[in-house]
Amino acid sequence: MCTAGWTYHHASNQMHEMQINCSPCGLSLIFTWNNIASLDLSSDGDSTPAAAAMAGSAHLLGFSDEILLHILSHVPSTDLVVNVRHTCRKLAELCLDKSLTHTVLLEKDYEAREDQVKQLLKETGREIQQLSMAGCYWLSGSAIEHVARCRSLVKLNLSGCQLTSLRLSKMLSALQQLRSLAIDVSPGFDAGQLSSECKATLSRVRELRQTLFTPSYGVVPCCASLEKLLLYFEILDRTREGAILSGQLFVGQSNVPHYQNLRVFYARLAPGYINQEVVRLYLAVLSDRTPENLHAFLISVPGSFAESGATRNLLDSMARNVVLDALQLPKSWLNGSALLQHMKFSNPFYFSFSRCTLSGSQLIQHILNGGKDLRSLAGLNLSGCAHCLSPDALLRRAEDDIDRGILETLVAACCNLRHLNLSAAHHHSSEGPGRHLCQLLARLCHLRSLSLPVCSVADSAPRADRKPAQPAMHAVPCGFGKKVRIGVQACPSPFSGQAGPQPSSVFWSLLKSLPFLERLELIGSNFSSAMPRNEPAIRNSLPPCSRAQSVGDTEVAAIGQLAFLRHLTLAQLPSILTGSGLVSIGLQCQQLQSLSLANLGLMGKVVYMSALSDMLKHCKRLKDLRLEQPYFSANAQFFQALSQCSALQRLCLVSRSGTLQPEAVLAFMARCLHVVVCHMFTGESLATCKSLQQTLLRSFQAERPALNVVIFPLLHEGLTDVIRDVPMVHLDEITLFKSRVAEEPPNLWW
């Protein structure tokens, strides 16, 4: 029996039904807790005919303990304790097995209620050594306090949870074995309220992940044994009342962070000057004395981040004293400097040069060490590096072809790459066999995630003698237009008259060579989302690259080859005529869990809705859908199709001048019982949006404690204030658009 790829679905609390799906072999097992109990209780004596019939059809308890434990490992921990454990004696014993209680992951368990979490921690707390409650924003502080019962905890993740300094102090005072901690530092946090017992625990913590929503050192000064420090700066420049915040921190002897044992330093900044001010204070200590064992140094900053005397001293010290295996620096620190040629690397596993003016010659000489073996490299982020595949950054124009030799050197040196990001740049290939970017990338057979600009997968440059593709005669302007029956494919196949995808397509050949790809992004070189972070919505967008006109429905259909694809992003594909390629993806990519579509087809028209409706009925494992399209009509037809995605949890719709039907939204939410995020930013009036949001919360909040609803006009001046209240887990993962391939080093946090 196959034991890989199992997924769990709790159909309803009333039925106590469990559905286990095996991805590779397509097997689906459905049981109810009551039937399981009957099976077990009748096994000691003569079984009734009904029980015998159930036993013949279910066979669940006939599996070995090893297989049962593997199946149960995919059941949420709260369900194991509240439901499964009480069905029969055998499962009661297995549910408390150390393999299931050693690590408890509650993150994204949106159906976990407070009483269930409290019961879980009460009954299994002594056995838990790793606990993640990341993103459990709906749980109250009193529920979080029950973590103190888990006295054997070694790793604890409370990112996104409601946490005060007093509550943290009480909790950590009881967790003397703790070595890894993730928390948020919110306004009002006061390190002076931490008890001596709490500080003693923190002094033994080796790994700390800290998300800052206010200027503060947080608990960093208390962590004298830090080896890994991850900092996420999410501080807004102004308070809700409009007051300007200061990034100055009180620095005293007790406030200075301890970096002497640091091996990994990572900082990710949201837009805003205050985040830059605060991170400089963290870096100032590093510049005084660079840790000798530092091997990963990563700073992710949107926009420019000017160098200072302290940062220059830090970089000079790093060049002299440390050997790195992971590096990411702000573009302003690298552009025009000779820093890279002085840095020393040993078996690097991750590089990010996003948005840097890095030429192909610099890439080969200073990063790839002249093309020598870099088989250790697992992740490479070159997004926005317009010149990284050309020998000279100064002479290259956007429309120029890439240098085949540079890409060949990259592919040969980094043959074990698993994550590669080449988006946000124009990478055009020249004519000729074996010269195309897709043909060269096909050699990277270990890739699991890939992000490419749309123009890079075009077969060749557009020629004057080649007629442009004409829009389909049945293209529908400004919404749905003509009614289309749900479930009936009304659009022609992209491979009409052919046995399958065109084998001459370089993109088709690339995907055929990467059968185990799990994440794919095709993003237009000039694409920018209409809803950026901490800024008003963008009203105008740049036109797509001319070569992107050659990429349409046929290329999208080729994605259907990826049987293991879980995450797909398609943005700014102007030549989508019917969206028929989406149907192929829905039919064949049965593992698809997240889908992000933006600006497909001609602007001002939504021509792919019939195909999208047909696609959605096949997406039974889809959990996240993000749709960004001007003039989108979110009507009953769309929501009826979306209702067929039975596993859907999060929906985000961004549509300039778009419309929605409140009754259709309500009906959709009533049918899709697992949806906990409903974000819609359209052209509707503020009154309409507020009324719908209040109705949704009033109707579904009680039964869905994690429900987060934001309905708001996209171009309203108050959008930024509304966005700040969205839980970070949703804002970062679905509300805002961004490329996620090689965004961070692999396995940065457990």
Side-chain angles (χ1 to χ4, degrees), residues 12-90:
S12 68
N13 292 328
Q14 292 77 22
M15 290 290 294
H16 300 304
E17 183 178 285
M18 175 176 67
Q19 177 176 335
I20 305 289
N21 302 304
C22 180
S23 305
C25 58
L27 180 63
S28 180
L29 305 174
I30 301 178
F31 304 95
T32 63
W33 307 132
N34 293 334
N35 286 354
I36 294 171
S38 299
L39 286 176
D40 185 63
L41 293 174
S42 63
S43 62
D44 294 332
D46 297 332
S47 58
T48 64
M54 278 188 281
S57 61
H59 300 296
L60 177 64
L61 298 180
F63 294 153
S64 68
D65 287 357
E66 181 183 4
I67 293 178
L68 284 173
L69 285 171
H70 184 78
I71 293 175
L72 292 174
S73 69
H74 294 276
V75 179
S77 299
T78 50
D79 246 348
L80 287 178
V81 172
V82 176
N83 290 321
V84 186
R85 182 181 167 216
H86 299 290
T87 55
C88 63
R89 286 186 289 272
K90 184 171 185 178

Side-chain angles (χ1 to χ4, degrees), residues 412-489:
C414 311
C415 58
N416 289 330
L417 266 181
R418 297 176 65 86
H419 314 283
L420 176 62
N421 195 328
L422 294 172
S423 64
H426 298 270
H427 296 312
H428 301 164
S429 301
S430 57
E431 299 278 359
R435 293 178 174 272
H436 200 282
L437 176 141
C438 289
Q439 294 172 318
L440 297 173
L441 293 183
R443 303 175 189 175
L444 298 174
C445 57
H446 298 287
L447 279 179
R448 293 298 179 267
S449 65
L450 177 63
S451 183
L452 294 174
V454 175
C455 57
S456 72
V457 306
D459 270 3
S460 59
R463 298 198 303 261
D465 62 343
R466 186 175 295 167
K467 294 183 179 180
Q470 298 296 321
M473 295 302 294
H474 58 277
V476 186
C478 300
F480 289 96
K482 182 180 177 182
K483 293 183 179 180
V484 182
R485 288 179 59 197
I486 301 295
V488 178
Q489 187 172 342

Side-chain angles (χ1 to χ4, degrees), residues 167-242:
R167 185 166 285 128
L168 178 67
S169 178
K170 180 180 178 181
M171 189 186 312
L172 295 187
S173 296
L175 306 180
Q176 300 180 12
Q177 306 300 319
L178 196 66
R179 297 297 181 269
S180 178
L181 175 65
I183 60 170
D184 291 352
V185 177
S186 302
F189 181 88
D190 182 4
Q193 296 179 336
L194 302 180
S195 66
S196 57
E197 293 83 1
C198 171
K199 292 180 179 179
T201 296
L202 288 171
S203 69
R204 295 184 288 268
V205 168
R206 297 173 184 170
E207 300 177 351
L208 176 66
R209 170 176 171 154
Q210 192 168 256
T211 303
L212 295 162
F213 294 95
T214 188
S216 172
Y217 282 119
V219 299
V220 173
C222 302
C223 302
S225 305
L226 273 184
E227 296 179 6
K228 177 187 287 189
L229 177 60
L230 278 56
L231 299 169
Y232 294 79
F233 294 86
E234 300 289 344
I235 312 167
L236 295 176
D237 294 343
R238 294 175 179 269
T239 65
R240 195 178 300 275
E241 294 75 24

Side-chain angles (χ1 to χ4, degrees), residues 25 183 200 253 372 383 440 447 507 543 569 634 643 664 731:
C25 58
I183 60 170
Q253 186 65 36
K372 294 182 180 178
S383 63
L440 297 173
L447 279 179
F507 185 56
T569 296
S643 297
L731 185 67

Side-chain angles (χ1 to χ4, degrees), residues 588-603:
Q588 300 176 67
C589 301
Q590 289 294 299
Q591 304 306 311
L592 194 63
Q593 294 182 4
S594 69
L595 176 64
S596 177
L597 304 177
N599 293 9
L600 303 187
L602 299 176
M603 298 296 287

Side-chain angles (χ1 to χ4, degrees), residues 7 34 42 45 91 210 221 225 270 307 346 395 413 531 670:
T7 58
N34 293 334
S42 63
L91 289 180
Q210 192 168 256
S225 305
E307 269 191 300
S346 175
L395 302 178
M531 200 170 73

Side-chain angles (χ1 to χ4, degrees), residues 558-611:
I559 299 172
Q561 300 176 85
L562 303 176
F564 295 94
L565 189 68
R566 295 177 180 271
H567 313 279
L568 175 62
T569 296
L570 301 174
Q572 201 180 40
L573 278 76
S575 291
I576 296 295
L577 301 180
T578 64
S580 52
L582 296 175
V583 182
S584 299
I585 296 173
L587 284 168
Q588 300 176 67
C589 301
Q590 289 294 299
Q591 304 306 311
L592 194 63
Q593 294 182 4
S594 69
L595 176 64
S596 177
L597 304 177
N599 293 9
L600 303 187
L602 299 176
M603 298 296 287
K605 296 183 178 181
V606 185
V607 298
Y608 58 91
M609 288 311 306
S610 174

Side-chain angles (χ1 to χ4, degrees), residues 601-730:
L602 299 176
M603 298 296 287
K605 296 183 178 181
V606 185
V607 298
Y608 58 91
M609 288 311 306
S610 174
L612 179 61
S613 297
D614 205 23
M615 173 197 190
L616 291 175
K617 73 177 183 180
H618 303 293
C619 298
K620 301 304 181 184
R621 291 183 175 86
L622 189 67
K623 294 182 178 180
D624 296 339
L625 175 62
R626 187 185 191 279
L627 193 55
E628 181 169 341
Q629 188 78 35
Y631 301 99
F632 186 86
S633 177
N635 58 17
Q637 189 174 0
F638 166 70
F639 283 111
Q640 183 181 348
L642 188 59
S643 297
Q644 300 183 67
C645 301
S646 55
L648 192 69
Q649 293 180 329
R650 301 191 290 188
L651 169 66
C652 179
L653 174 62
V654 180
S655 181
R656 179 169 48 84
S657 303
T659 60
L660 57 84
Q661 292 183 358
E663 299 81 5
V665 178
L666 286 167
F668 156 73
M669 291 292 289
R671 287 193 295 266
C672 291
L673 304 179
H674 303 291
V675 174
V676 294
V677 172
C678 183
H679 293 174
M680 297 185 184
F681 307 96
T682 65
E684 294 287 355
S685 67
L686 180 61
T688 299
C689 293
K690 282 189 173 182
S691 175
L692 177 58
Q693 177 174 318
Q694 292 171 0
T695 302
L696 289 173
L697 291 172
R698 186 169 55 250
S699 302
F700 303 105
Q701 184 84 68
E703 60 190 54
R704 306 180 200 183
L707 184 64
N708 184 255
V709 178
V710 182
I711 316 288
F712 205 77
L714 178 62
L715 300 182
H716 193 280
E717 60 183 8
L719 178 64
T720 302
D721 291 332
V722 170
I723 290 298
R724 69 188 297 168
D725 293 327
V726 174
M728 187 56 58
V729 61
H730 303 318

